[in-house]
Amino acid sequence: MLKNRVAITGMGIISSIGTTVEANLHALLNSKKGIAPIVNIDTRHKNKIKVGEVLQTNAELAKSLHLNENHNYSRTALLGCIAAQQAVKHAKIDTIDAFRTGLISATSVGGMDLTEKHFQNYNAETRTLINSHHAVDSTEKIAALLGITDFTSTISTACSSAANAIMLGARLIKSGQLDRVIVGGTDGLAKFTINGFKTLMILSDTDCTPFDANRKGLNLGEAAAYLVLESDAVVKQDNKTVLGYLAGYGNANDAFHQTASSENGEGAFLAMSKALKIAEINPEDINYINAHGTATPNNDLSEGKAIKRIYGDSVPDFSSTKAFTGHTLAAAGAIEAVYSILALQNNVMFPNLNFKTVIPELQMVPITEVTKKTINYVLSNSFGFGGNCSTLIFSKN
């Protein structure tokens, strides 16, 4: 039972570089970034930082979902519903309850964009009922849209959230508890997020530069992405087209600091090592690493050291795609899972935009242009606050 493979049969995505999988691929192949000044949020930081923003307004997103004007969908929920609906359609699922089906959705922002509208007027005398704030709200709305009732769960482990959602979905399939699971994550931009990261002093006022010696910090982003995971039995019974497989996964928590990664990348090293062990492959079998690569001084050095602990001086081709989309927080692991599958399908590696200068301590040079190459295995990293480190390995077969 535990040897059952986990197939990926559908994908959906909406990000700052495109509202579909095809649009995202086109942007990646043509180096069209989504980083720009803030448009949809009225904040004092509007002209001081850059973000990866989905340019549609909430009203436009709601209209595409055919919601009435009195809906209580947060931006996080709107983005999540659109991407999850795409994934199910892509997997050609007509009857959601034909098999035991679950939904595992990740978020960190939740409904904060709606909650913060009431912040100034919220006091002991005036209370506004806010029922879309909690993280589970977006999951419930996605499940209702898709008609999923067998199993739902919400994961919030900071920026590794969606990777952990994918991991849990795979384990539920391998253990025989579910036949298919829609997995991924969603996060909309909000003042809360912008102000929080501004306080941490890790936002860049320019386009971010992952793995560059002169990196200044990250660009926040918003996005949603979901994958459809299905068992071998479902794939065979329905004669499904398989986009790729989730071959390995691992997570670890080094509990080094509330926000910073450990100096030697302990958690990242352990997560990658576990993923390679579960995939039953050697480190040199990895053809491409989609790195977490946030462009913060701490993350890139820590992740780089962890990679070098595994590979020494023989590091595989790698790049971070966050210079395209910004750091999409809880959605990041799912966004980059979609990009990893696209890399496998198209035998292509995506560029690490804006790179110029090697980090002296690492001497690691990322891929800086679209590069064609036979790819059988992709390793994708997602690391979050509190030392939450997760690694996924995707394969063609």
Side-chain angles (χ1 to χ4, degrees):
M1 186 74 71
L2 290 173
K3 287 292 184 182
N4 287 344
R5 292 190 301 172
V6 177
I8 297 151
T9 60
M11 304 191 296
I13 187 171
I14 178 168
S15 76
S16 63
I17 61 171
T19 59
T20 63
V21 171
E22 293 76 16
N24 273 261
L25 177 59
H26 181 267
L28 291 167
L29 293 177
N30 292 277
S31 296
K32 293 186 175 181
K33 62 182 178 64
I35 307 301
I38 298 170
V39 173
N40 286 327
I41 300 175
D42 185 17
T43 167
R44 69 183 67 179
H45 305 302
K46 201 163 192 173
N47 298 314
K48 297 177 182 177
I49 62 169
K50 289 186 172 184
V51 298
E53 193 172 16
V54 175
L55 292 180
Q56 288 95 324
T57 64
N58 282 6
E60 290 169 331
L61 294 173
K63 186 177 181 180
S64 70
L65 291 168
H66 308 292
L67 300 177
N68 63 50
E69 293 182 1
N70 298 319
H71 72 81
N72 70 333
Y73 282 57
S74 65
R75 189 165 180 83
T76 294
L78 291 169
L79 294 171
C81 283
I82 289 169
Q85 195 174 55
Q86 285 180 17
V88 169
K89 183 178 180 181
H90 188 203
K92 297 181 180 177
I93 296 173
D94 298 319
T95 308
I96 201 73
D97 57 0
F99 298 95
R100 294 170 300 168
T101 301
L103 168 69
I104 304 172
S105 184
T107 187
S108 60
V109 177
M112 183 58 72
D113 67 302
L114 291 184
T115 305
E116 65 190 17
K117 291 180 180 180
H118 303 287
F119 177 75
Q120 298 297 337
N121 300 319
Y122 189 82
N123 54 51
E125 289 75 36
T126 305
R127 302 290 173 119
T128 302
L129 178 63
I130 303 169
N131 55 13
S132 58
H133 175 85
H134 59 92
V136 178
D137 178 74
S138 57
T139 304
E140 290 175 340
K141 286 181 166 62
I142 296 167
L145 175 75
L146 300 179
I148 293 174
T149 58
D150 290 328
F151 179 90
T152 62
S153 185
T154 306
I155 289 183
S156 189
T157 55
C159 308
S160 63
S161 300
N164 283 329
I166 294 169
M167 202 177 308
L168 177 57
R171 293 176 67 184
L172 289 170
I173 288 173
K174 282 194 170 189
S175 64
Q177 295 177 71
L178 292 173
D179 301 307
R180 64 183 172 204
V181 193
I182 289 82
V183 292
T186 177
D187 260 339
L189 276 172
K191 289 183 182 181
F192 170 81
T193 319
I194 294 168
N195 292 340
F197 278 83
K198 192 74 174 174
T199 301
L200 291 171
M201 297 185 289
I202 56 174
L203 293 183
S204 177
D205 57 352
T206 62
D207 289 8
C208 70
T209 58
F211 292 103
D212 191 280
N214 301 312
R215 61 200 182 282
K216 297 171 65 177
L218 59 84
N219 301 127
L220 285 170
E222 62 179 358
Y226 290 85
L227 310 176
V228 178
L229 306 183
E230 299 194 272
S231 69
D232 273 339
V234 173
V235 169
K236 185 176 181 180
Q237 183 172 328
D238 279 4
N239 194 27
K240 294 298 253 325
T241 298
V242 176
L243 308 176
Y245 291 89
L246 179 60
Y249 43 83
N251 62 358
N253 192 314
D254 56 25
F256 173 75
H257 186 270
Q258 284 185 313
T259 58
S261 302
S262 60
E263 296 170 357
N264 66 347
E266 185 67 18
F269 170 77
L270 290 172
M272 288 187 282
S273 299
K274 289 179 180 180
L276 288 164
K277 184 176 180 179
I278 287 178
E280 297 181 343
I281 61 173
N282 297 315
E284 57 268 25
D285 292 323
I286 298 295
N287 307 111
Y288 171 50
I289 296 176
N290 187 313
H292 188 57
T294 61
T296 59
N298 172 254
N299 176 89
D300 293 8
L301 183 59
S302 177
E303 183 177 9
K305 285 183 176 179
I307 291 171
K308 295 205 77 168
R309 285 176 66 181
I310 291 177
Y311 287 99
D313 293 327
S314 302
V315 175
D317 292 323
F318 75 98
S319 66
S320 166
T321 48
K322 286 186 174 62
F324 282 94
T325 62
H327 188 357
T328 58
L329 306 183
I335 297 297
E336 286 142 28
V338 170
Y339 295 169
S340 296
I341 296 299
L342 290 174
L344 283 170
Q345 288 182 312
N346 297 279
N347 288 309
V348 66
M349 297 179 292
F350 307 119
N352 191 112
L353 300 178
N354 310 322
F355 176 83
K356 292 181 181 178
T357 308
V358 174
I359 298 173
E361 300 96 318
L362 297 180
Q363 292 299 309
M364 291 169 57
V365 180
I367 295 294
T368 56
E369 342 182 292
V370 174
T371 305
K372 297 291 285 185
K373 173 185 178 180
T374 299
I375 299 176
N376 294 310
Y377 290 98
V378 178
L379 183 149
S380 183
N381 283 331
S382 295
F383 308 142
F385 286 168
N388 290 292
C389 298
S390 298
T391 296
L392 305 173
I393 294 177
F394 300 95
S395 65
K396 275 183 180 169
N397 302 303

